């Protein structure tokens, strides 16, 4: 199957700018996992193809792999 659209593009951009050991998620995704990963660092990111900054949250990979 093929995934297209704004969500797919935003996810690809977040993946591209994530640092080593980081998972970046948008605000909508973070709202669904907030109970599992509270206190994630919030960032405003200027992403290619987006007219305004994207609210993103950093979930350290170390936290995910220990859960």
């Amino acid at each position: 199957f093929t995934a297209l659209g704004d969500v797919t593009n935003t996810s690809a951009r977040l993946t591209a700018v994530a640092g080593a050991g980081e998972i970046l998620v948008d605000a909508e995704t973070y709202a669904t996992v907030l109970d599992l990963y509270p206190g994630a660092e919030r960032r405003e990111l200027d992403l290619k193809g987006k007219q305004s900054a994207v609210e993103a949250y950093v979930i350290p990979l170390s936290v995910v792999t220990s859960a």
Side-chain angles (χ1 to χ4, degrees), residues 40-62:
E41 176 190 344
R42 181 180 178 275
R43 294 183 187 167
E44 291 284 330
L45 302 172
D46 293 317
L47 301 177
K48 179 181 176 184
K50 304 297 279 184
Q51 291 184 358
S52 58
V54 172
E55 180 180 354
Y57 291 84
V58 181
I59 301 173
L61 187 57
S62 61

Side-chain angles (χ1 to χ4, degrees), residues 4-56:
L4 300 172
D6 186 57
V7 172
T8 302
N9 291 334
T10 301
S11 297
R13 303 290 184 226
L14 289 173
T15 300
V17 300
E22 292 181 336
I23 299 172
L24 289 176
V25 296
D26 68 2
E28 185 176 351
T29 301
Y30 184 62
T32 65
V33 298
L34 175 61
D35 292 339
L36 296 172
Y37 308 107
E41 176 190 344
R42 181 180 178 275
R43 294 183 187 167
E44 291 284 330
L45 302 172
D46 293 317
L47 301 177
K48 179 181 176 184
K50 304 297 279 184
Q51 291 184 358
S52 58
V54 172
E55 180 180 354

